[in-house]
Amino acid sequence: MSDDRQGTNEGACPEIETRQIAINGQLLQVAIRHGGGSGPPLLLFNGIGANWELARPFLQALTRTTAIIFDVPGVGGSPRSLLPYRPSTLARLAAALVAELGYAEIDVAGVSWGGGIAQQFAHQYPKLCRRLVLAATAPGVTMVPGGPSVLWKMLTPRRYTDKEYMNRIAADLYGGAFRSDPSLIGRHAATMHGARNLGYFYQLLAVAGWTSLPWLWSLPQPTLILMGSDDPLVPAINGHILKALIPNAELQMIDDGHLFIVTRPEETAGLIEAFLADASRQVEPSSPLSRMAGWVGGLVPAFGRRRDAEAPQGNGDAGRMT
């Protein structure tokens, strides 16, 4: 591994250092928010097509946690890789980055698409990953999807390159605060500059056919799952499924949409830091057989909640869990 480091970029927040670091021949744009806490750093995997700057409000809202985030190859400041990759490839790349930065233990968080990579990392490197945070995410292709029109808009990075298009679709795509505060759309769009067509396609290809369902029961880490109550992209039922299948997991709902990490950064950072700092959270020991039994048993109530959410309400309108 080699290291090609640069100083803090002009205009960056003083608390956030950016570097160009070469890992196994792949150049990565890395941002580090330095905190004063004594706990392990938090490695954050961003959403699809998202450059690290989109997570800046969350990084700035952290009060004591050191956080590391990097642009995946083909997004933001990281050049595209020569070949497509899988979640396991990105997990290896991230583990090598953590080693290059000198850390022997980290906490891991993932948002949306990045939540899948975070799950893969926790599964692939259980001794390196102490705790896991999953935000607005799902167990891969086995997820309960959003509506077809919403998913169709995700197949292209056009919203990253066409600000007018972004203004038209943001409320329907992200829900929550984007529905009630149009000014958020412009501010968010102004920060989006990372996605490139082939890089975006590589991200879509990475998770094609991928699922964490067969091994979620084996994750040993204490896990915090955060879901938005009005999320058109990843309906909240997916959080209940993750909660049911991960042995040491808890679920908290946030009254917002898919991008609550951006629209409610202080609340999100507070929940995550409280979870990471809680020394009373210990892994509950269990045998592989008991974990597998919980995996199977968790499917029934989780999907029962989906049926309840879709059942007609008293006023005749269909219930909606988004």
Side-chain angles (χ1 to χ4, degrees):
M1 290 177 288
S2 63
D3 187 354
D4 179 17
R5 302 186 180 185
Q6 298 177 347
T8 303
N9 284 355
E10 183 179 355
C13 170
E15 296 181 345
I16 301 175
E17 175 190 6
T18 60
R19 304 179 187 177
Q20 290 275 323
I21 303 180
I23 302 295
N24 296 334
Q26 172 65 55
L27 194 63
L28 296 177
Q29 179 77 4
V30 182
I32 304 173
R33 189 276 186 196
H34 296 284
S38 58
L42 177 68
L43 174 65
L44 176 63
F45 292 100
N46 219 341
I48 189 167
N51 47 292
W52 79 263
E53 290 91 344
L54 290 172
R56 187 194 298 273
F58 169 76
L59 297 176
Q60 292 176 325
L62 295 169
T63 60
R64 56 185 177 272
T65 304
T66 293
I68 305 163
I69 185 171
F70 66 94
D71 292 339
V72 301
V75 172
S78 296
R80 175 176 51 83
S81 57
L82 293 177
L83 298 172
Y85 49 80
R86 297 294 289 168
S88 58
T89 315
L90 285 181
R92 284 195 299 272
L93 189 67
L97 172 63
V98 169
E100 178 74 7
L101 293 174
Y103 297 108
E105 184 181 54
I106 57 169
D107 297 319
V108 175
V111 182
S112 192
W113 180 91
I117 312 303
Q119 292 170 61
Q120 180 69 43
F121 188 101
H123 173 61
Q124 207 163 313
Y125 299 100
K127 293 183 179 179
L128 181 57
C129 176
R130 184 187 72 126
R131 295 190 180 183
L132 179 62
V133 179
L134 303 175
T137 193
V141 295
T142 48
M143 70 178 288
V144 178
S149 64
V150 172
L151 296 179
W152 178 255
K153 294 180 178 69
M154 291 296 294
L155 293 178
T156 169
R158 182 182 173 189
R159 66 190 184 281
Y160 285 92
T161 58
D162 185 342
K163 299 299 189 288
E164 186 176 327
Y165 177 72
M166 177 65 177
N167 285 332
R168 292 201 308 269
I169 70 165
D172 292 335
L173 191 62
Y174 299 127
F178 281 86
R179 300 189 195 275
S180 57
D181 186 358
S183 68
L184 284 173
I185 301 174
R187 294 201 298 271
H188 186 66
T191 315
M192 299 167 69
H193 62 261
R196 297 184 286 275
N197 286 336
L198 192 53
Y200 193 88
F201 175 72
Y202 276 9
Q203 285 190 279
L204 289 174
L205 193 61
V207 294
W210 177 88
T211 178
S212 58
L213 215 57
W215 43 258
L216 282 176
W217 62 273
S218 70
L219 292 182
Q221 297 89 355
T223 302
L224 173 64
I225 302 162
L226 300 173
M227 301 297 291
S229 58
D230 177 28
D231 187 341
L233 271 175
V234 185
I237 179 58
N238 291 284
H240 290 284
I241 294 172
L242 291 171
K243 162 73 167 61
L245 302 183
I246 299 174
N248 298 284
E250 67 168 277
L251 170 65
Q252 293 201 40
M253 299 299 300
I254 294 180
D255 186 20
D256 208 327
H258 187 68
L259 292 182
F260 54 79
I261 193 172
V262 173
T263 55
R264 292 177 179 257
E266 290 82 9
E267 179 181 350
T268 306
L271 289 170
I272 291 175
E273 288 197 299
F275 166 74
L276 297 179
D278 188 351
S280 67
R281 298 178 186 274
Q282 302 295 330
V283 174
E284 297 178 6
S286 60
S287 68
L289 182 61
S290 65
R291 289 185 182 182
M292 181 62 77
W295 186 96
V296 175
L299 287 174
V300 176
F303 280 99
R305 291 187 185 94
R306 174 67 174 181
R307 289 194 298 270
D308 291 344
E310 293 176 344
Q313 304 298 305
N315 62 1
D317 294 333
R320 187 171 68 116
M321 195 167 196
T322 59

